[in-house]
Amino acid sequence: MAKKKKSKKKEESELEKKLSFTPKSIWEGINKKDIKKCYSFSRGYKEFLSKCKTEAQSVAYAEKLARNEGFREVSQIKNISPGDRVYIKNRHKNIMLFRVGKKPLAEGLNLIAAHVDAPRLDLKPSPLAEDADSQIALFKTHYYGGIKKYQWVNVPMALHGKVVRMDGKQIEIDIGEKKDDPVIVIPDLLPHLAAKQNRRTLREGIKGEELRVIVGSRPLDDENAKYKIKLTVLKELNDRYGMTEEDFVSAELEVVPAGPARDVGLDRSLVGAYGQDDRICAYTSVMAILEMGKKIPERTAACILFDREEVGSDGPTGVKSRFLLNAVGEVMEKLDGGYRDIELRRSLERSYALSADVNGAINPMFKDVHEKQNAAVLGKGIVVTKYTGSGGKYNSSEASAEFVAKVRRILNDAKIPWQPAELGKIDEGGGGTVAKFLALHNMDVLDAGPALVSMHSPFELSSKADIYYTYKAYKEFFLKME
Ligand code: MN
Ligand code: MN
């Protein structure tokens, strides 16, 4: 007869269980069905990431998904009624989706705001140069957003964006993603001759002006030309797109890491890709509003995608512009018997907003930058960040205890795993989101989104469990916040 086995599991203290709070990994104790849901949800997400390398592509993709679910452009319709699905775009770089609720707009929105711009290398206004010594043609770039410059060399890159010719014709450029497309690349120095470079600080290891991308090396057979290699590139661009060198001035061209999103880890539990900050929140919040179900919600739900977050949110497509205000006004005009300025202000004032953005997860090689009890961990669910900023909470809006309590109750009621966190140790650095700009409308705002490892790098990492449960969290917020 076998010996009666003593339960191996260490007995938990009932009192401790009741009183203490320690977020656990979602993967612990998850059933097979839910693992499958996490993995299958990430497939749609990876497709989105692979196809959307710029803010304009992300907005167009969101619009397509929305139209498939019956969303209509506000300018195309006369009247809006509760239950309607409508959207407004701004300059191809913002989109705001509305699922109209039963209550008047003046009672406020359940708003989720994410951003679709990501750190990258923009082409300079006059980018093309030929280096005679190396016999190489290059694009000069100007980096956008906070990058560690040394990470962007020797990485196969793609070129995305548009050129607007003088006649107004728009040319879409998209080179480097297809299997047989060429890529472009910034060449780092060989280690054999890097004695001097190795003495530079990591920050200066690659300098801004050294972020130059190789685009050609073959001279054109044109005796009288001064810059023959450059001319080969210009001719290629002219043959393909009918553009000349001056057209670069009226272009928006972004150099980004080439290739699709990938599964990471032998267990495939992570997603690796460029641009997950903050397209992870864009995708999950858009999917959440699309899949709110047939029942007309009480409060109007809205999801908005911003641009320019990575550079301070200035400009007509950043959160500091009037787009949000105007878009809500446009919907109000066709609903609730018309538009009134005070009602619009009330609508924003009485809104609850999630600033849907990422936090930095503990990186096993650099744990010291975090205060572990208040740090985000991959796989522990959506991160609730009460405030961002730096130092003594500078440059940050802070969510009120009342609002955090409401969000916490919604998540707990739906059994959605979540974790509270700061960005890092107090004196270690800092960062911000769109939260403080949304708060200018006097609305309650809370930062909430998944955590990433290697944020702002050419290959950021996220957890499939966090992606799926962030989507679920956003859906609950849209439906239940009141
Ligand atoms: Mn972000
Ligand atoms: Mn960022």
Side-chain angles (χ1 to χ4, degrees), residues 405-421:
K406 284 182 180 180
V407 173
R408 193 157 69 92
R409 190 173 61 229
I410 287 170
L411 296 177
N412 286 341
D413 283 352
K415 296 198 163 52
I416 289 169
W418 60 277
Q419 52 180 327

Side-chain angles (χ1 to χ4, degrees), residues 408-456:
R408 193 157 69 92
R409 190 173 61 229
I410 287 170
L411 296 177
N412 286 341
D413 283 352
K415 296 198 163 52
I416 289 169
W418 60 277
Q419 52 180 327
E422 296 186 306
L423 180 57
K425 275 183 185 163
I426 296 168
D427 295 329
E428 204 69 46
T433 63
V434 298
K436 65 173 179 176
F437 303 115
L438 292 173
L440 290 172
H441 298 288
N442 194 19
M443 63 175 76
D444 276 309
V445 191
L446 173 65
D447 276 294
L452 301 181
V453 162
S454 296
M455 195 198 293
H456 283 208

Side-chain angles (χ1 to χ4, degrees), residues 256-268:
V256 299
R262 304 285 297 265
D263 283 344
V264 173
L266 303 185
D267 58 1
R268 296 177 179 268

Side-chain angles (χ1 to χ4, degrees), residues 86 349 383 407:
V86 297
E349 210 165 50
V383 185
V407 173

Side-chain angles (χ1 to χ4, degrees), residues 115 117 119 277-278 309-310 357-358 432 455-456 460:
H115 67 92
D117 61 316
D277 171 8
D278 182 36
E309 192 278 339
E310 295 294 356
D357 209 339
V358 295
M455 195 198 293
H456 283 208
E460 303 173 307

Side-chain angles (χ1 to χ4, degrees), residues 232-251:
T232 303
V233 176
L234 280 174
K235 186 161 183 308
E236 187 67 33
L237 290 169
N238 188 263
D239 289 348
R240 274 196 196 207
Y241 306 112
M243 66 176 283
T244 65
E245 189 172 16
E246 193 185 300
D247 290 323
F248 277 119
V249 181
S250 53

Side-chain angles (χ1 to χ4, degrees), residues 90-106:
N90 178 28
R91 294 174 164 80
H92 308 290
K93 291 177 185 170
N94 301 146
I95 189 167
M96 187 166 185
L97 306 167
F98 294 84
R99 181 75 200 282
V100 181
K102 288 180 198 158
K103 291 184 174 168
L105 267 193

